[in-house]
Amino acid sequence: MLEREAILFANDAFYEAFRARDFEAMAAIWADSAPVACIHPGWEALHGREAVLRSWRAILSGDGAPPGPRCRAARVLPLGEDAAAVLCYEEIGRSLLAATNLFVREAGAWRLAHHQAGPTRLAPANLEEEAPPALQ
Amino acid sequence: MLEREAILFANDAFYEAFRARDFEAMAAIWADSAPVACIHPGWEALHGREAVLRSWRAILSGDGAPPGPRCRAARVLPLGEDAAAVLCYEEIGRSLLAATNLFVREAGAWRLAHHQAGPTRLAPANLEEEAPPALQ
């Protein structure tokens, strides 16, 4: 239970850094020693911390850009002792993306190892009904 | 090394079942006791083996539908001892999807716990240059 909360907390921290366009916070959220990857909506897969953080620096530094997405209906999918996925929706204005965020335990903390987001047919207004309460 | 090959073998088996539209093989690939989820392109997230397999039964049973995608440029992202992600591209005709497949070790075998696929700006013709050799 505590682990599940710690994982959701790490997921929240990712979206807080995204919404605040805080690159330093974002860099601290991604794993340091574990291999990382990222598939931004519509992009090719990026592999390695350097390529992934370079993409986030570009995304977060857009002048006058709207705030990042709000995370909704997050659910933890446990993957053994030291890894977990969080599935959630990213609300941006009136549209949603469906996202998978992979976390690994690194020096006792949950750090992001992979993120993929893509379009979904679900509308924000239908989200509460469609997403049942979090697993365990 | 052997583990990486076993994970890629499980990933290949997923796409073989998909291409062959073989529901029984697909059902055997998904984890039994670990929680599972799936985000088909454009769909909402499906949670639980029953909902996930129901979606695959519908997808694989389309009469006269074209074969499933061909997997390209698969790369393993290790997530500790008992979990791993495979990032790859799904080639369908002249278009590509970018995919994340999560595997967990269940009774000694690598079984699929989550799949997300979505559009990518990458074209099949550009895939070889864009995807460097697999990580370790």
Side-chain angles (χ1 to χ4, degrees), chain A residues 1-52:
Chain A
M1 272 303 175
L2 281 173
E3 280 313 317
R4 186 184 160 275
E5 283 162 26
I7 294 159
L8 288 173
F9 186 82
N11 192 63
D12 284 345
F14 167 65
Y15 286 104
E16 278 170 28
F18 198 164
R19 281 181 69 75
R21 301 191 164 273
D22 182 340
F23 176 74
E24 296 307 318
M26 180 61 82
I29 282 156
W30 283 83
D32 243 340
S33 53
V36 299
C38 189
I39 305 176
H40 296 294
W43 290 37
E44 69 277 22
L46 303 175
H47 288 269
R49 187 171 160 91
E50 193 184 324
V52 169

Side-chain angles (χ1 to χ4, degrees), chain B residues 14 17-18 20-28 30 38 40 43 46 48-66 115:
Chain B
F14 167 65
F18 198 164
R21 300 191 165 274
D22 182 340
F23 176 74
E24 296 308 319
M26 181 60 81
W30 283 84
C38 190
H40 296 293
W43 290 37
L46 304 175
R49 187 172 161 90
E50 193 184 324
V52 170
L53 290 189
R54 197 186 311 127
S55 74
W56 282 106
R57 190 184 284 280
I59 287 167
L60 299 179
S61 69
D63 269 351
H115 164 77

